[in-house]
Amino acid sequence: THVYGWRAEQAIEQARCEVAELIGADPREIVWTSGATEANNLALKGLACHGGRKAGHIVTSAIEHSAVLDVCRHLESRGFALSLVQPDRGGIVHPEAVASLLREDTFLVSVMHVNNELGTINDIAALGALCRSRGIAFHVDAAQSAGKLPIDLGELPVDLMSLSAHKMYGPKGAGALYVRRLPSLRLEAQTHGGGQERGMRSGTLATHQLVGMGEAARIARADMGEDAARIAGLRDTLWTALAGLDGIGQNGDVRRRLPGVLNLHFAGIEAESMMSAMKDVAVSSGSACASANVEPSRVLRAIGLGNEL
């Protein structure tokens, strides 16, 4: 009831419009969250639990981000059936492989748009068409692709899509979930309270975080093509300089990948020794979500690399 509140609301709704425009959605289909991890939880648990559902079959890939895979395993522990589709040796999840796992009670398929380690790009149009033809809800974790690849949810057969602000140079602690309106998709809220975000995600909205995400989305939409070409050039320059070294190779499909990802293996070199020799480079021996895990990457193992590599 005061001008300061109106201004804050206006800023948040403008940010919602910017995020919606980035992915070709209706602003009413954007639900604010604290990040892609919460968006994934809301999408998967919210759909699984809606209407008192206690059982059913879920399909996801063996190389999903832990924010999807761990949620699916949690649902499996609660009585849902779970199948993991294996990627090909390039790290691509194919519709045929997904189709082979579908059952009569399959109600949800979740496959990421871009793999966070390999940068490989899945054909979400084909995957979504498969799900749509079977009446199965299709969720896409687009944390790695939004703002970097064109996305038009007015055309793509996607029902739920998770987004992250900081993956497109916005602030940490902000994200969004796209929830298709027509025909409507209903989710069971995972956070209860004041009924914000049409009852799907209660809690006072973080105005500054969400405005930052909206501005990041606006800039990403404007600069996407130029950025992709520039970053692909940097990636190719790096690979050209390294390619002549002994024991080095690329992991994942080198044609269907995000410009900003170059996943390499170095035969016969201990990771810690190599890291200690690169003191001016920001480097770790695993992705951020696995930084405390000393085990070899499950993504690289899934595409056929041995533990040593």
Side-chain angles (χ1 to χ4, degrees):
T1 57
H2 51 76
V3 67
Y4 308 108
W6 298 337
R7 288 174 180 167
E9 181 182 33
Q10 184 180 28
I12 285 173
E13 292 312 310
Q14 179 60 36
R16 197 190 303 270
C17 289
E18 296 289 1
V19 171
E21 195 161 352
L22 177 67
I23 60 173
D26 187 310
R28 293 170 291 180
E29 296 174 312
I30 303 301
V31 178
W32 295 123
T33 68
S34 63
T37 294
E38 185 189 347
N40 288 334
N41 274 261
L42 175 56
L44 302 177
K45 294 177 183 175
L47 188 65
C49 299
H50 180 68
R53 192 198 313 262
K54 300 292 184 183
H57 180 232
I58 300 168
V59 175
T60 191
S61 84
I63 58 171
E64 290 298 305
H65 192 280
S66 55
V68 165
L69 204 51
D70 286 358
V71 175
C72 290
R73 285 173 173 153
H74 168 80
L75 290 170
E76 183 181 31
S77 73
R78 296 295 189 270
F80 292 89
L82 175 64
S83 294
L84 300 182
V85 60
Q86 295 296 320
D88 67 14
R89 293 187 69 85
I92 304 293
V93 177
H94 292 282
E96 300 79 13
V98 173
S100 70
L101 297 177
L102 298 181
R103 309 184 334 193
E104 287 297 320
D105 62 339
T106 305
F107 68 94
L108 172 62
V109 170
S110 179
V111 177
M112 64 199 336
H113 192 182
V114 171
N115 184 268
N116 57 296
E117 293 189 31
L118 298 170
T120 46
I121 304 170
N122 289 313
D123 187 348
I124 59 173
L127 291 163
L130 168 66
C131 294
R132 189 67 53 89
S133 70
R134 301 283 291 267
I136 298 167
F138 182 44
H139 167 255
V140 175
D141 180 348
Q144 303 294 336
S145 61
K148 303 181 185 74
L149 296 176
I151 297 173
D152 185 357
L153 292 174
E155 299 293 332
L156 291 169
V158 171
D159 301 302
L160 297 155
M161 179 174 279
S162 301
L163 310 172
S164 167
H166 73 264
K167 297 296 183 183
M168 60 175 101
Y169 302 102
K172 290 185 174 70
L177 176 65
Y178 161 83
V179 182
R180 178 176 50 77
R181 286 186 68 245
L182 297 173
S184 64
L185 195 69
R186 303 300 298 273
L187 302 178
E188 184 77 19
Q190 301 301 299
T191 305
H192 300 89
Q196 289 89 344
E197 295 302 280
R198 302 187 302 285
M200 281 186 273
R201 201 275 189 180
S202 292
T204 302
L205 296 177
T207 306
H208 54 304
Q209 302 291 82
L210 303 180
V211 169
M213 183 173 184
E215 179 66 2
R218 184 192 67 77
I219 295 171
R221 183 164 52 87
D223 296 348
M224 192 184 304
E226 182 181 330
D227 273 355
R230 178 179 60 82
I231 295 170
L234 293 172
R235 177 200 64 198
D236 293 343
T237 297
L238 175 60
W239 171 241
T240 299
L242 294 173
L245 300 177
D246 291 335
I248 188 171
Q250 297 188 61
N251 302 322
D253 193 308
V254 298
R255 298 158 300 170
R256 291 173 56 177
R257 60 176 174 175
L258 203 66
V261 179
L262 179 64
N263 193 306
L264 307 173
H265 60 260
F266 303 86
I269 302 175
E270 288 290 338
E272 296 299 325
S273 300
M274 187 169 162
M275 289 163 60
S276 66
M278 297 191 294
K279 300 190 183 303
D280 296 328
V281 181
V283 61
S284 69
S285 58
S287 60
C289 59
S291 57
N293 187 358
V294 297
E295 293 298 312
S297 163
R298 58 177 174 78
V299 172
L300 297 183
R301 284 184 291 180
I303 64 170
L305 269 70
N307 284 352
E308 186 175 337
L309 272 185

